[in-house]
Amino acid sequence: MANSQSGDSMTERIVRVLETFTADRTTQSATEIARRAELPSSTAHRIVGELIGQGILERDDEGRVRLGMRLWELALRGSSALRLRQAALPHMEQVQARIREHTQLAVLENEEALFLERLSDPTAGANITRIAGRLPLHASSSGLVLLAFADPDLRERVLAQPLRPVSAETVTDADALRALLASIRRRGHVVAPGSIESVSTGVAVPVRDHGEVVAALSVVLPRQAPTTEPIEALTSAAAAIEADLRRMH
C-alpha cells in the first residue's frame, strides 16, 4: 500500500477512518471523519468515497456516512468470534433465564475486553456494557478474568501502565491487582463489586477452548445481590460452552 507524506500506509488510514465510528457515533459527515481520523479533508473524502463504492461504508438518506452491511458480512465469514458466540449463546440464555439480570460474553482484543454478546432483562439494573463495546481489562469482571489468564508478558505490560480508575472502587494499584489476578486463577472466578459502577457487582468465569482461555462469561448484578447462584450458573454454562466448542472443531 502506498504511504502518505506522513508515512502512514493506506491500510492505516482506512483503519483510522473506520475507527472514528463508535457505539455512540454511528453516522458522521466525511468532514467529521477527516477531523477525527486526523487526515487531510481531501484524503478522507477520497477514502470514504472508495469505501462507499465497495459497500464498506454507506450513506443514509441525509447524506451522512455509516458502516455498511458488507463490512458486517465480511467480519462474520470464518470468524472465530462468531463460532464462539454461536457456542455460547444457548448457554448464556440459560444463565439469563436463571439470573434475570445481565449476561455477557467478552474476549481479549488489543489489551481490552471486547464484548461479543449481552443479554439483559427489562427490569435489570445498571450496566454500561454494549455489544462491540470495550472496557479496560483491570476495570471489569470480564476483563479481570481475561487478564488473569492472559499471556504473562501481556499481563505485565498492562500492570506496568497507569491503571485508570473507572469508578472509586476500580483496583488501580499494580501490586493489589497482581494479587487479585492470582486469586482469580486459583478460584476460577471473580466477584468485582463496584469496579465499573458503585451500584453493581460483576461476576465472571473463564471459558476455555481445548484448555486455553478464549473468553469470559459474566453477569452484572445489583450491588448487594447474592453471588453463589450466579457463580454456579456461570461455571456450569462455561463447561457446556467448552464441550460445544470441542464438538465444533
Side-chain angles (χ1 to χ4, degrees):
M1 294 288 183
N3 288 349
S4 68
Q5 292 182 354
S6 63
D8 53 346
S9 69
M10 175 59 77
T11 300
E12 291 170 323
R13 284 174 275 170
I14 290 172
V15 169
R16 281 160 59 186
V17 165
L18 296 176
E19 285 182 337
T20 64
F21 293 89
T22 69
D24 297 313
R25 187 192 305 129
T26 57
T27 62
Q28 309 175 81
S29 69
T31 300
E32 290 169 335
I33 292 172
R35 174 172 54 81
R36 290 171 177 136
E38 298 181 349
L39 291 171
S41 180
S42 59
T43 300
H45 278 75
R46 183 176 68 254
I47 292 173
V48 167
E50 292 176 357
L51 292 176
I52 289 172
Q54 295 299 319
I56 304 300
L57 298 177
E58 59 189 28
R59 292 192 187 277
D60 63 17
D61 293 340
E62 297 177 354
R64 292 174 65 80
V65 181
R66 62 191 178 200
L67 297 176
M69 290 296 290
R70 191 173 183 215
L71 181 62
W72 172 83
E73 176 192 1
L74 293 172
L76 291 182
R77 290 182 185 175
S79 168
S80 59
L82 177 62
R83 171 178 165 272
L84 175 60
R85 181 183 173 277
Q86 286 175 331
L89 192 54
H91 306 292
M92 291 179 66
E93 290 171 346
Q94 291 179 4
V95 173
Q96 182 63 16
R98 184 172 171 184
I99 305 302
R100 296 190 177 278
E101 289 291 341
H102 304 282
T103 305
Q104 306 173 152
L105 182 71
V107 295
L108 176 63
E109 207 284 321
N110 196 26
E111 299 185 12
E112 293 179 298
L114 172 65
F115 289 84
L116 302 184
E117 186 57 88
R118 167 183 154 176
L119 306 176
S120 296
D121 189 86
T123 63
N127 185 8
I128 67 170
T129 304
R130 297 184 180 185
I131 297 173
R134 295 171 179 262
L135 286 174
L137 292 175
H138 70 285
S140 66
S141 59
S142 293
L144 288 167
V145 163
L146 294 169
L147 185 58
F149 291 96
D151 180 88
D153 289 341
L154 184 151
R155 191 161 58 243
E156 290 304 316
R157 191 161 63 246
V158 171
L159 287 165
Q161 299 170 1
L163 299 170
R164 179 177 61 85
V166 177
S167 76
E169 296 172 86
T170 304
V171 178
T172 57
D173 177 80
D175 289 338
L177 181 56
R178 187 175 284 106
L180 174 58
L181 298 176
S183 172
I184 294 169
R185 289 192 294 275
R186 287 194 306 271
R187 297 182 179 185
H189 69 264
V190 66
V191 176
S195 63
I196 292 290
E197 295 182 291
S198 62
V199 297
S200 301
T201 292
V203 181
V205 302
V207 176
R208 291 176 171 84
D209 188 1
H210 286 75
E212 179 186 358
V213 173
V214 294
L217 184 64
S218 65
V219 293
V220 178
L221 310 169
R223 177 62 179 258
Q224 303 303 326
T227 59
T228 300
E229 184 178 6
I231 291 170
E232 292 174 353
L234 289 171
T235 302
S236 296
I241 294 168
E242 292 162 14
D244 284 353
L245 287 172
R246 286 193 295 272
R247 285 192 288 269
M248 291 172 72
H249 271 291

